[in-house]
Amino acid sequence: QLQLVESGGGMVQPGESLRLSCAGSGFTLESYAIAWFRQAPGAKREGVAYISSTHNDTLYQGSVRGRFTISRDNAKNTVYLQMNSLKFEDTAVYYCAADDFRGLLISPNYDYWGQGTQVTVSS
């Protein structure tokens, strides 16, 4: 029973912020590379942010770099995605995923996926 559960999505105005959470159940997220992906209606799934297991190295998609921050709280077995200065084009279902190696932002590398949380940026 290995599960990832996303939370924190919702509807916000452009320029506002949200923090998404990805909580692990049945395994220790500290030992896994974790990434956030998103999928907008009619679009392909794309990588958003990544954090490695050993050194907490990070990668970001260019369109979110400087606005989004991925981080861990190992005591809570949770990974966060802080999203600031949200734009209309950030609207999507956001998924967290875990990999036992270095998944980077390549979705086929990931072994475990959450069910997603909706983020809507609307005026």
Side-chain angles (χ1 to χ4, degrees), residues 20-95:
L20 305 183
S21 298
C22 176
S25 178
F27 63 119
T28 301
L29 296 188
E30 183 178 7
S31 301
Y32 289 79
I34 306 294
W36 288 93
F37 295 85
R38 67 186 181 187
Q39 187 165 20
K44 296 192 300 182
R45 184 171 58 198
E46 63 180 359
V48 177
Y50 160 90
I51 187 165
S52 71
S53 60
T54 303
H55 301 295
N56 287 339
D57 298 319
T58 58
L59 290 174
Y60 297 95
Q61 183 200 94
S63 67
V64 309
R65 190 175 297 114
R67 298 189 295 122
F68 290 12
T69 303
I70 187 169
S71 63
R72 297 178 182 268
D73 185 337
N74 291 329
K76 296 182 178 180
N77 203 30
T78 299
V79 173
Y80 301 101
L81 183 67
Q82 178 68 45
M83 305 187 296
N84 297 328
S85 301
L86 283 161
K87 304 175 179 180
F88 292 116
E89 53 263 43
D90 296 318
T91 296
V93 177
Y94 284 70
Y95 302 89

Side-chain angles (χ1 to χ4, degrees), residues 37 45 47 97-99 102-113:
F37 295 85
R45 184 171 58 198
D99 182 56
R102 58 174 87 184
L104 304 176
L105 291 176
I106 305 169
S107 59
N109 290 344
Y110 287 82
D111 303 306
Y112 306 102
W113 291 80

